[in-house]
Amino acid sequence: MNSPRVSILIPTFRYGRYLPEALNSVLSQDFKDIEVLVSDDCSGDGSAELLHHYAARDARIRVCIQPVNLGMVQNWNWCLARARGEFVQYLFGDDLLTRPDAIRKMVMMLESHPEAVLSACARNVIDEQSRVLDVWSVLGKSGMHGSAETVSRCLIKGNIIGEPTAVMFRRSAALRGFSETYNQLVDLEMWLHLLERGPLVFTEEPLCGFRRHPLQRTVANTKMGLHQREILHLALDYGGPLTLDDRGVRRVAFHRLYKSRRYVGQDPEIDAARERLLGRIGRPVYWVRWVGKKLHNPIIEVGRWCLRLKRILLRRNGYEQSPGFRALRGEGQR
C-alpha cells in the first residue's frame, strides 16, 4: 500500500457533538492524497458509532476506539506513531478546517520551502455554535520565520505559532513524539523541538477553526497554575545557548523571571526554576534590568497621560475637527 502524502490525525475524547463538523471539513478537502486516523480515547459518549459510520463511507478513514483511557498526550502520540504520511496535520475533535483548500495550502508552503520543518496558519476562534469570535494571527507577516527568532518570541510571548490544528509538520522531524513531561504547553514544546531542526513558514490566511468551550482540558490546567510552571521549564529547556545567542539567552531569562515574580514563595517548583534561570543571567544583571524596567514603565505611562490630557484640552477648546486633533486620535486625512 502506498503511503499517503498527508496524515490527518484526530485524537478525540468526548467530542461526539463536534466530530461530524470536524470530519466533514476533512472530507471536503480538495487535496485527496490523505489518510485520516481517528483515536477515540474511550469516550463512551456515542463517538464510536459515529466514527465507524464515517469509516464505512470513506476508506481513507481509520478508526480506533481505545479500550482504556490513554490520556491527552499519550493519545496524541498514539496517533503520531501510526501515521504514514510525509506531512502530519492534527485536527482535534472539536476543531475544523474552514476552507476546502486548507490542506493543499499547508502542503504547498512546505513544498515551496524545503528548509522549513513546519507550516502554520492564522485561525478563526469559534464558539460552541461555530460562530467566529475572533481571528488569531500573532506570528506576524506571511512567509518564512527563522528558528532562533521564533523560539525567542515564543518563550517571551507564549504560543504565537498556534494550536496543533493550525500547524502541519514533517513527520521525519517529529519521530520523538510529544513530550509527556508537559501537560498544558505540550504543543508549544513540540514546536520548539521542531524549530531546533529548521525554520517555519506562515500564512496570515485563517485556514482552520479553533473552538473555545468550557470542556477543554487547557481551561482546567490554567486554573491549576500549570502554565506558569511549564513556561519556566520551556525557558530552561530551549532558552539556552544551544538555541539562542548570548543576548537572546539573557532576554528570555529576564523576561520569564520578571513575569513570574509574583509567584515567589507560593510554588516550590516555580522557585526552583527561577533560581536556575537567575543563574543564567546573574543576579546583578537581573537587578539592573529590573530597575530599567521599573523606570521605563512610568515614562511610557506619563507619555500616555500627556496624550490623553492634550486630547481633553483640544476637545474643551473646540478643536475636535482640527487635523491635529484627528491625528491624535489616529484618524487620517479625508
Side-chain angles (χ1 to χ4, degrees):
M1 181 184 297
N2 294 330
S3 297
R5 196 70 190 282
V6 178
S7 294
I8 299 178
L9 309 181
I10 307 180
T12 181
F13 178 64
R14 294 181 179 173
Y15 285 155
R17 61 176 292 193
Y18 302 120
L19 278 172
E21 197 170 3
L23 289 165
N24 289 335
S25 75
V26 171
L27 298 181
S28 65
Q29 292 296 301
D30 60 16
F31 188 92
K32 303 300 181 183
D33 190 9
I34 63 174
E35 67 170 351
V36 183
L37 177 57
V38 189
S39 173
D40 179 76
D41 202 13
C42 197
S43 294
D45 65 345
S47 294
E49 294 77 8
L50 180 111
L51 291 171
H52 287 310
H53 171 73
Y54 271 89
R57 289 171 46 193
D58 195 313
R60 296 174 298 175
I61 300 177
R62 292 187 288 150
V63 172
C64 176
I65 309 300
Q66 301 295 344
V68 295
N69 184 270
L70 299 176
M72 183 184 78
V73 184
Q74 292 81 358
N75 199 21
W76 294 11
N77 281 333
W78 189 96
C79 293
L80 183 58
R82 287 154 182 80
R84 298 179 295 123
E86 178 184 357
F87 305 125
V88 171
Q89 172 77 57
Y90 274 84
L91 176 65
F92 289 166
D94 54 341
D95 294 340
L96 67 147
L97 303 173
T98 55
R99 293 170 39 160
D101 60 350
I103 296 299
R104 178 169 58 83
K105 282 183 173 291
M106 297 288 273
V107 169
M108 287 175 60
M109 285 195 289
L110 289 173
E111 288 180 336
S112 301
H113 300 87
E115 70 277 26
V117 176
L118 64 164
S119 60
C121 65
R123 61 271 195 214
N124 291 332
V125 181
I126 58 177
D127 65 10
E128 294 178 84
Q129 286 74 44
S130 301
R131 295 172 298 200
V132 177
L133 304 174
D134 198 359
V135 178
W136 286 353
S137 182
V138 186
L139 192 57
K141 294 182 178 180
S142 297
M144 292 290 292
H145 292 259
S147 297
E149 175 193 359
T150 308
V151 167
S152 178
R153 291 180 63 200
C154 284
L155 292 176
I156 291 173
K157 297 183 179 181
N159 188 0
I160 61 174
I161 296 172
E163 300 75 28
T165 297
V167 175
M168 180 180 286
F169 55 87
R170 300 183 190 275
R171 182 168 63 90
S172 60
L175 298 178
R176 183 210 66 173
F178 290 87
S179 172
E180 296 184 9
T181 61
Y182 287 83
N183 291 292
Q184 178 166 355
L185 303 181
V186 185
D187 49 354
L188 177 56
E189 193 280 334
M190 173 61 97
W191 308 157
L192 299 178
H193 172 72
L194 292 175
L195 285 167
E196 288 186 323
R197 287 146 183 79
L200 172 151
V201 58
F202 176 71
T203 177
E204 296 174 83
E205 296 179 275
L207 304 178
C208 66
F210 169 65
R211 197 181 304 273
R212 301 293 300 272
H213 58 86
L215 297 180
Q216 287 172 313
R217 178 70 178 272
T218 52
V219 174
N221 287 344
T222 301
K223 294 178 180 178
M224 294 167 58
L226 285 177
H227 181 277
Q228 188 59 229
R229 291 197 292 272
E230 292 191 354
I231 194 67
L232 286 170
H233 283 297
L234 283 177
L236 289 167
D237 290 345
Y238 293 97
L242 293 179
T243 306
L244 307 175
D245 59 20
D246 291 343
R247 182 179 179 183
V249 170
R250 291 192 297 269
R251 185 178 176 216
V252 167
F254 173 76
H255 183 87
R256 294 275 42 113
L257 284 166
Y258 187 82
K259 285 289 187 181
S260 68
R261 65 196 186 283
R262 70 189 65 179
Y263 293 93
V264 175
Q266 298 180 17
D267 189 316
E269 190 174 345
I270 289 178
D271 290 345
R274 279 178 51 85
E275 285 301 316
R276 291 177 61 192
L277 280 175
L278 195 58
R280 287 185 179 175
I281 191 173
R283 198 174 296 272
V285 175
Y286 172 78
W287 285 113
V288 168
R289 287 179 174 242
W290 184 89
V291 170
K293 182 84 169 175
K294 289 296 183 182
L295 292 174
H296 179 263
N297 289 345
I299 292 172
I300 295 298
E301 194 60 32
V302 167
R304 290 172 179 165
W305 275 105
C306 287
L307 187 59
R308 293 189 191 107
L309 180 61
K310 190 172 184 178
R311 289 174 180 168
I312 292 170
L313 293 175
L314 286 170
R315 185 178 294 113
R316 285 183 177 178
N317 287 280
Y319 293 114
E320 291 94 337
Q321 300 305 319
S322 69
F325 183 76
R326 289 165 58 195
L328 280 173
R329 293 174 57 187
E331 298 177 4
Q333 299 289 332
R334 294 186 181 179

